[in-house]
Amino acid sequence: MSSKLIRNFSIIAHIDHGKSTLADRLLELTGTISKRQLQEQTLDGMDLERERGITIKSHPVRMHYKADDGNTYEMNLIDTPGHVDFTYEVSRSLAACEGAILVIDATQGVQAQTVANVNLAHRQNLAVIPVINKIDLPASDPELCMEQMEEILAIPRDEVLLVSAKEGLGIKELLERVVKNVPPPTIPREEALSALIFDSTYDAYRGVVNYVRVVSGTLCRGQKIRLFSTALESEVKEVGCFTPVMKPTETLSAGSVGYIIPNLKSPADTKIGDTITENRKPCHKALPGFKEIQPMVFSGIYPIDTADYEQLKASVAKLQLNDSAFTYQAETSAALGFGFRCGFLGLLHMEIIQERLRREYDMDIIATYPSVIYNVYLADGTMKMIDNPVHLPDPSMIERIEEPIINAKIMAPNNFIGDIMALIMSKRGLCTRTDSVDSRHVILTAELPMNEILVDFHDKLKSITRGYGSMDYEQAGYRPDRLVKLDMMVNSDIVDAFSTIVHMESAHIRGKQLAEKLKEVIPQQMFQIAIQAAVGGKIVARETVKQLRKNVLAKCYGGDISRKRKLLEKQKEGKKRMKQIGQVHIPQEAFVEILKAGT
């Protein structure tokens, strides 16, 4: 097909604004999927996506549409995630496109992530087609949405399309707008093959599967190719497109989106953002890929059974191929054994990765409390980057500790401003700016420590705004503060898996929370167990697990009191000796429960 008849576009929106439902209607109208095969959220292939009603991975699909001008167009659509934790997934998808459909919920209007996604599209110089969805709902207010789009996004109201993805209203007009407004792919003069890998997955039977956008040249089966970054050579076993299932084709021409299966068996052999070129006649330079993404949240992942370590190692390697924002490196813990220190883009990203390891790879895993990267400046002038509290140097050697700060944009109705500001202040944050969006909504700009928003900030925001608040954030450098390492000691032994870095003022509260939780989950022993929270050498909180006691007086029905006292003293001496040599075995359930403390 001529490149002039190809249209590559993505659907972008805030979470739950109807991207996947709109994609379903496009598939239905173009006849890509019959009504018998169609199900809700057709492109969301994971069980997790269906259960949570969110898109986690980008999903490409090829459609053929006969337009009013008589031509049949090849339309390559990529449905993208909406949550802030998966912004990297969106940016990679946009790199393979020339246009983007911006979907806005008519009942909610412009949200924080909507603004972020529009900025991503503008950075890639894409044609943006604005769409207001869910106009069939009684609570919809398209007029207010148009005002917000003019005020916040600078999009004229006469460019906006009104659709209902559920009812199928305005879908044909949307496809005609895509044909008219989205430019065809630009084909370079260079005839050498160059294709961008924008995603990958691993198939147990066929090996590595690369999702590609062909920029110039042609990809076909049996072709000898080379990966630009590693100079690794391979033969193409299969090329094809998504309909939305994988469908083999003869070739992939310039401008098209599809997949290739090279003769690569190891997940480490391929890299997302790399350029594929021909072995005999390579292109002169690599295509502009994606900037390396920096993880923002770290957590340790360990197998519950230490014998599963090698299986976990293979599983995380395959998962990283499918999600390049996920990073890992091996580490050991005195309490948990061998495992991996893993980096994530946010707490939802961490939760999804852990759930995928359990479901897709059948791994029984345990995760440590999430933390961020701290810059630790030592007295000798050197600086260390610490992502694990266990590696924090001795307090006497530390000059200062800097923690990562984020700039958060919180969008909510006017009447919740006071509650949101109180929440920001309780998390050691500072509200720097307030902007009115319209008569009913405001955008609050705040500076917050990254560590404070990790666990429950988003849930609390949704709770106090009754579900109407939304947040988008980006990293804003580092700031020094009075941070200390909080150690948990069980029977005077430090348990490294429970160590955290906290603010000096909240050390006592956090220590008390953890100590109380540990008291609940550690089983009673024959001796008394002290659970202590310590900062440096100072104990800030303590709980005690009482010992199991045998009733040694059961046989004494009477007689002199001195006989009873003698038996109790003898028991007391035995308990003291037992405590000196007794070791506490903390059950695995305790590690799971302790991570929920304070959430």
Side-chain angles (χ1 to χ4, degrees), residues 112 244 265 374:
K265 293 297 178 190
Y374 295 91

Side-chain angles (χ1 to χ4, degrees), residues 304-335:
I304 285 180
D305 183 354
T306 50
D308 291 338
Y309 173 73
E310 287 300 324
Q311 189 186 340
L312 178 62
K313 187 177 179 181
S315 300
V316 292
K318 290 171 187 173
L319 196 52
Q320 190 190 39
L321 176 69
N322 192 228
D323 187 349
S324 59
F326 164 61
T327 63
Y328 69 94
Q329 61 184 57
E331 74 165 6
T332 55
S333 160

Side-chain angles (χ1 to χ4, degrees), residues 371-546:
S371 67
V372 296
I373 296 184
Y374 295 91
N375 288 345
V376 180
Y377 289 85
L378 305 179
D380 61 5
T382 58
M383 190 268 280
K384 278 187 171 184
M385 296 177 80
I386 302 291
D387 60 21
N388 189 342
V390 175
H391 301 144
L392 198 69
D394 188 86
S396 60
M397 298 167 62
I398 298 172
E399 185 183 300
R400 71 179 187 277
I401 301 176
E402 292 186 352
E403 62 181 342
I405 302 297
I406 58 154
N407 265 337
K409 288 193 186 304
I410 300 168
M411 190 164 179
N414 294 342
N415 47 328
F416 298 117
I417 291 180
D419 293 334
I420 295 170
M421 284 188 166
L423 175 64
I424 290 168
M425 288 165 70
S426 72
K427 297 292 185 182
R428 298 192 287 123
L430 180 68
C431 192
T432 56
R433 186 173 166 181
T434 308
D435 296 306
S436 291
V437 177
D438 52 47
S439 58
R440 285 185 269 173
H441 296 83
V442 291
I443 292 180
L444 296 171
T445 306
E447 276 188 6
L448 285 151
M450 178 81 188
N451 195 37
E452 293 287 343
I453 71 156
L454 281 188
V455 179
D456 59 352
F457 185 85
H458 196 262
D459 291 343
K460 284 184 175 176
L461 176 67
K462 285 288 179 188
S463 178
I464 63 176
T465 60
R466 297 177 195 165
Y468 290 108
S470 65
M471 183 180 85
D472 177 49
Y473 63 84
E474 58 185 13
Q475 228 169 346
Y478 281 76
R479 185 172 71 193
D481 215 326
R482 294 162 58 221
L483 300 166
V484 291
K485 179 185 173 189
L486 179 71
D487 285 316
M488 295 306 297
M489 297 194 295
V490 177
N491 213 24
S492 302
D493 290 332
I494 293 174
V495 185
D496 59 358
F498 299 146
S499 296
T500 55
I501 295 174
V502 296
H503 194 266
M504 178 78 84
E505 290 173 5
S506 59
H508 167 68
I509 299 164
R510 181 69 188 148
K512 191 167 176 54
Q513 278 179 343
L514 291 172
E516 285 172 356
K517 201 72 174 176
L518 271 172
K519 183 184 176 183
E520 290 173 23
V521 293
I522 291 179
Q524 284 182 295
Q525 311 282 332
M526 295 302 292
F527 52 90
Q528 186 173 286
I529 303 167
I531 301 168
Q532 297 164 307
V535 173
K538 184 182 176 186
I539 306 298
V540 294
R542 174 186 168 123
E543 292 288 336
T544 304
V545 179
K546 291 202 167 117

Side-chain angles (χ1 to χ4, degrees), residues 102-118:
L102 173 68
V103 181
I104 291 167
D105 189 329
T107 62
Q108 296 184 34
V110 173
Q111 299 286 297
Q113 192 59 23
T114 312
V115 182
N117 283 335
V118 170

